mmCIF file with all atom_site columns, all heavy atoms in Angstrom:
data_model
loop_
_atom_site.group_PDB
_atom_site.id
_atom_site.type_symbol
_atom_site.label_atom_id
_atom_site.label_alt_id
_atom_site.label_comp_id
_atom_site.label_asym_id
_atom_site.label_entity_id
_atom_site.label_seq_id
_atom_site.pdbx_PDB_ins_code
_atom_site.Cartn_x
_atom_site.Cartn_y
_atom_site.Cartn_z
_atom_site.occupancy
_atom_site.B_iso_or_equiv
_atom_site.pdbx_formal_charge
_atom_site.auth_seq_id
_atom_site.auth_comp_id
_atom_site.auth_asym_id
_atom_site.auth_atom_id
_atom_site.pdbx_PDB_model_num
ATOM 1  N N   . THR A 1 177 ? -102.493 1.629  34.147 1.00 95.00 ? 177 THR A N   1
ATOM 2  C CA  . THR A 1 177 ? -102.512 0.179  34.349 1.00 95.00 ? 177 THR A CA  1
ATOM 3  C C   . THR A 1 177 ? -102.107 -0.569 33.081 1.00 95.00 ? 177 THR A C   1
ATOM 4  O O   . THR A 1 177 ? -101.295 -1.508 33.113 1.00 95.00 ? 177 THR A O   1
ATOM 5  C CB  . THR A 1 177 ? -103.907 -0.272 34.804 1.00 95.00 ? 177 THR A CB  1
ATOM 6  O OG1 . THR A 1 177 ? -104.240 0.397  36.030 1.00 95.00 ? 177 THR A OG1 1
ATOM 7  C CG2 . THR A 1 177 ? -103.950 -1.770 35.019 1.00 95.00 ? 177 THR A CG2 1
ATOM 8  N N   . ALA A 1 178 ? -102.669 -0.154 31.946 1.00 96.00 ? 178 ALA A N   1
ATOM 9  C CA  . ALA A 1 178 ? -102.365 -0.833 30.684 1.00 96.00 ? 178 ALA A CA  1
ATOM 10 C C   . ALA A 1 178 ? -100.911 -0.627 30.264 1.00 96.00 ? 178 ALA A C   1
ATOM 11 O O   . ALA A 1 178 ? -100.232 -1.570 29.826 1.00 96.00 ? 178 ALA A O   1
ATOM 12 C CB  . ALA A 1 178 ? -103.312 -0.343 29.596 1.00 96.00 ? 178 ALA A CB  1
ATOM 13 N N   . LEU A 1 179 ? -100.400 0.589  30.395 1.00 96.00 ? 179 LEU A N   1
ATOM 14 C CA  . LEU A 1 179 ? -99.025  0.865  29.982 1.00 96.00 ? 179 LEU A CA  1
ATOM 15 C C   . LEU A 1 179 ? -98.007  0.199  30.897 1.00 96.00 ? 179 LEU A C   1
ATOM 16 O O   . LEU A 1 179 ? -96.943  -0.237 30.435 1.00 96.00 ? 179 LEU A O   1
ATOM 17 C CB  . LEU A 1 179 ? -98.776  2.365  29.955 1.00 96.00 ? 179 LEU A CB  1
ATOM 18 C CG  . LEU A 1 179 ? -99.314  3.136  28.745 1.00 96.00 ? 179 LEU A CG  1
ATOM 19 C CD1 . LEU A 1 179 ? -98.999  4.612  28.872 1.00 96.00 ? 179 LEU A CD1 1
ATOM 20 C CD2 . LEU A 1 179 ? -98.727  2.585  27.453 1.00 96.00 ? 179 LEU A CD2 1
ATOM 21 N N   . ARG A 1 180 ? -98.299  0.108  32.193 1.00 96.00 ? 180 ARG A N   1
ATOM 22 C CA  . ARG A 1 180 ? -97.338  -0.512 33.105 1.00 96.00 ? 180 ARG A CA  1
ATOM 23 C C   . ARG A 1 180 ? -97.077  -1.960 32.715 1.00 96.00 ? 180 ARG A C   1
ATOM 24 O O   . ARG A 1 180 ? -95.932  -2.434 32.786 1.00 96.00 ? 180 ARG A O   1
ATOM 25 C CB  . ARG A 1 180 ? -97.859  -0.412 34.538 1.00 96.00 ? 180 ARG A CB  1
ATOM 26 C CG  . ARG A 1 180 ? -96.926  -1.038 35.565 1.00 96.00 ? 180 ARG A CG  1
ATOM 27 C CD  . ARG A 1 180 ? -97.258  -0.645 36.978 1.00 96.00 ? 180 ARG A CD  1
ATOM 28 N NE  . ARG A 1 180 ? -96.850  0.725  37.261 1.00 96.00 ? 180 ARG A NE  1
ATOM 29 C CZ  . ARG A 1 180 ? -97.682  1.696  37.556 1.00 96.00 ? 180 ARG A CZ  1
ATOM 30 N NH1 . ARG A 1 180 ? -98.970  1.467  37.609 1.00 96.00 ? 180 ARG A NH1 1
ATOM 31 N NH2 . ARG A 1 180 ? -97.238  2.921  37.802 1.00 96.00 ? 180 ARG A NH2 1
ATOM 32 N N   . GLN A 1 181 ? -98.098  -2.670 32.301 1.00 95.00 ? 181 GLN A N   1
ATOM 33 C CA  . GLN A 1 181 ? -97.912  -4.057 31.873 1.00 95.00 ? 181 GLN A CA  1
ATOM 34 C C   . GLN A 1 181 ? -97.046  -4.142 30.615 1.00 95.00 ? 181 GLN A C   1
ATOM 35 O O   . GLN A 1 181 ? -96.157  -4.990 30.522 1.00 95.00 ? 181 GLN A O   1
ATOM 36 C CB  . GLN A 1 181 ? -99.278  -4.701 31.622 1.00 95.00 ? 181 GLN A CB  1
ATOM 37 C CG  . GLN A 1 181 ? -100.151 -4.795 32.867 1.00 95.00 ? 181 GLN A CG  1
ATOM 38 C CD  . GLN A 1 181 ? -101.536 -5.326 32.569 1.00 95.00 ? 181 GLN A CD  1
ATOM 39 O OE1 . GLN A 1 181 ? -101.888 -5.584 31.414 1.00 95.00 ? 181 GLN A OE1 1
ATOM 40 N NE2 . GLN A 1 181 ? -102.344 -5.494 33.599 1.00 95.00 ? 181 GLN A NE2 1
ATOM 41 N N   . VAL A 1 182 ? -97.288  -3.231 29.659 1.00 96.00 ? 182 VAL A N   1
ATOM 42 C CA  . VAL A 1 182 ? -96.491  -3.229 28.426 1.00 96.00 ? 182 VAL A CA  1
ATOM 43 C C   . VAL A 1 182 ? -95.038  -2.873 28.719 1.00 96.00 ? 182 VAL A C   1
ATOM 44 O O   . VAL A 1 182 ? -94.109  -3.509 28.199 1.00 96.00 ? 182 VAL A O   1
ATOM 45 C CB  . VAL A 1 182 ? -97.098  -2.233 27.414 1.00 96.00 ? 182 VAL A CB  1
ATOM 46 C CG1 . VAL A 1 182 ? -96.204  -2.096 26.194 1.00 96.00 ? 182 VAL A CG1 1
ATOM 47 C CG2 . VAL A 1 182 ? -98.490  -2.687 27.002 1.00 96.00 ? 182 VAL A CG2 1
ATOM 48 N N   . PHE A 1 183 ? -94.808  -1.890 29.562 1.00 96.00 ? 183 PHE A N   1
ATOM 49 C CA  . PHE A 1 183 ? -93.450  -1.465 29.880 1.00 96.00 ? 183 PHE A CA  1
ATOM 50 C C   . PHE A 1 183 ? -92.684  -2.579 30.591 1.00 96.00 ? 183 PHE A C   1
ATOM 51 O O   . PHE A 1 183 ? -91.495  -2.806 30.317 1.00 96.00 ? 183 PHE A O   1
ATOM 52 C CB  . PHE A 1 183 ? -93.478  -0.201 30.747 1.00 96.00 ? 183 PHE A CB  1
ATOM 53 C CG  . PHE A 1 183 ? -93.638  1.065  29.948 1.00 96.00 ? 183 PHE A CG  1
ATOM 54 C CD1 . PHE A 1 183 ? -94.503  1.129  28.871 1.00 96.00 ? 183 PHE A CD1 1
ATOM 55 C CD2 . PHE A 1 183 ? -92.932  2.202  30.282 1.00 96.00 ? 183 PHE A CD2 1
ATOM 56 C CE1 . PHE A 1 183 ? -94.657  2.288  28.136 1.00 96.00 ? 183 PHE A CE1 1
ATOM 57 C CE2 . PHE A 1 183 ? -93.073  3.373  29.556 1.00 96.00 ? 183 PHE A CE2 1
ATOM 58 C CZ  . PHE A 1 183 ? -93.936  3.410  28.477 1.00 96.00 ? 183 PHE A CZ  1
ATOM 59 N N   . GLU A 1 184 ? -93.334  -3.269 31.518 1.00 95.00 ? 184 GLU A N   1
ATOM 60 C CA  . GLU A 1 184 ? -92.643  -4.345 32.230 1.00 95.00 ? 184 GLU A CA  1
ATOM 61 C C   . GLU A 1 184 ? -92.220  -5.455 31.280 1.00 95.00 ? 184 GLU A C   1
ATOM 62 O O   . GLU A 1 184 ? -91.141  -6.036 31.445 1.00 95.00 ? 184 GLU A O   1
ATOM 63 C CB  . GLU A 1 184 ? -93.555  -4.900 33.327 1.00 95.00 ? 184 GLU A CB  1
ATOM 64 C CG  . GLU A 1 184 ? -93.734  -3.945 34.508 1.00 95.00 ? 184 GLU A CG  1
ATOM 65 C CD  . GLU A 1 184 ? -94.678  -4.501 35.543 1.00 95.00 ? 184 GLU A CD  1
ATOM 66 O OE1 . GLU A 1 184 ? -95.283  -5.574 35.287 1.00 95.00 ? 184 GLU A OE1 1
ATOM 67 O OE2 . GLU A 1 184 ? -94.835  -3.870 36.610 1.00 95.00 ? 184 GLU A OE2 1
#
Side-chain angles (χ1 to χ4, degrees):
T177 301
L179 282 179
R180 180 166 285 116
Q181 297 175 357
V182 174
F183 277 41
E184 288 178 354

